[in-house]
Amino acid sequence: MSTTRILLSQSVIQTRVRELGRELSEHYAGKHPIFLGVMNGALFFLTDLLRAVDLDEVEPSTIRVASYAGAQSTGVLHGLDGLGDSFRGRHVLILDDILETGLTLSSLAKAIRKAGAADVKTCVLLEKPAARVRPIHADWVGFHIADEFVVGYGLDYNGRYRNLRQVRVLENVE
Ligand code: 5GP
Ligand code: MG
């Protein structure tokens, strides 16, 4: 059996999400931004942040991309074809669960800029210090964590653990 160790408790996560909500409310005041959650990892981050911001005109949206198989990044990003016109002229905030190599965020940000967005910013719940394949920083970061494989609050291991309310380190990976 794999075991898990709590890294970030539910209340620590919720406190930080409320802080981020205040910062994003200030930043996007008077605008009509799209909050684009990268599925499935940003599922809870997106919904909690949407309820933490004080913005009347934020538009929730989701996109599905994948570069991971098990605990290993494959380095290839799927799901970026056919973005269409929905981002043209818009302020887009990409929300992702975790920034590691930067492949996901940089490819996605590039594709959305190419689709005509007026402004693209990024916000991640977690950032690992691991070597960046692409030089990218997130505009907002919830927590900086050590280079360990984490699960919970949207993050999965082969489809498991996603619904945990805490972020936990996966130990003894099978
Ligand atoms: P990057 O493209 O920056 O290397 O990695 C981003 C994606 O890899 C995340 O959206 C997430 O799906 C996955 N990922 C990276 N590190 C972890 C981790 O520690 N745990 C889990 N569950 N997924 C991770
Ligand atoms: Mg992901």
Side-chain angles (χ1 to χ4, degrees), residues 101-116:
T101 64
L103 179 74
T104 309
L105 274 189
S106 62
S107 307
L108 194 49
K110 194 172 154 203
I112 290 169
R113 283 192 188 101
K114 212 172 140 197

Side-chain angles (χ1 to χ4, degrees), residues 96-157:
D96 205 356
D97 47 10
I98 186 164
L99 173 61
E100 190 186 25
T101 64
L103 179 74
T104 309
L105 274 189
S106 62
S107 307
L108 194 49
K110 194 172 154 203
I112 290 169
R113 283 192 188 101
K114 212 172 140 197
D119 180 70
V120 181
K121 294 213 162 18
T122 53
C123 174
V124 293
L125 177 73
L126 307 172
E127 183 173 323
K128 281 187 190 178
R132 298 269 178 279
V133 173
R134 306 274 173 86
I136 184 166
H137 75 282
D139 296 291
W140 289 272
V141 178
F143 302 92
H144 294 267
I145 64 167
D147 188 14
E148 298 177 298
F149 192 80
V150 290
V151 294
Y153 196 71
L155 291 136
D156 76 310
Y157 176 61

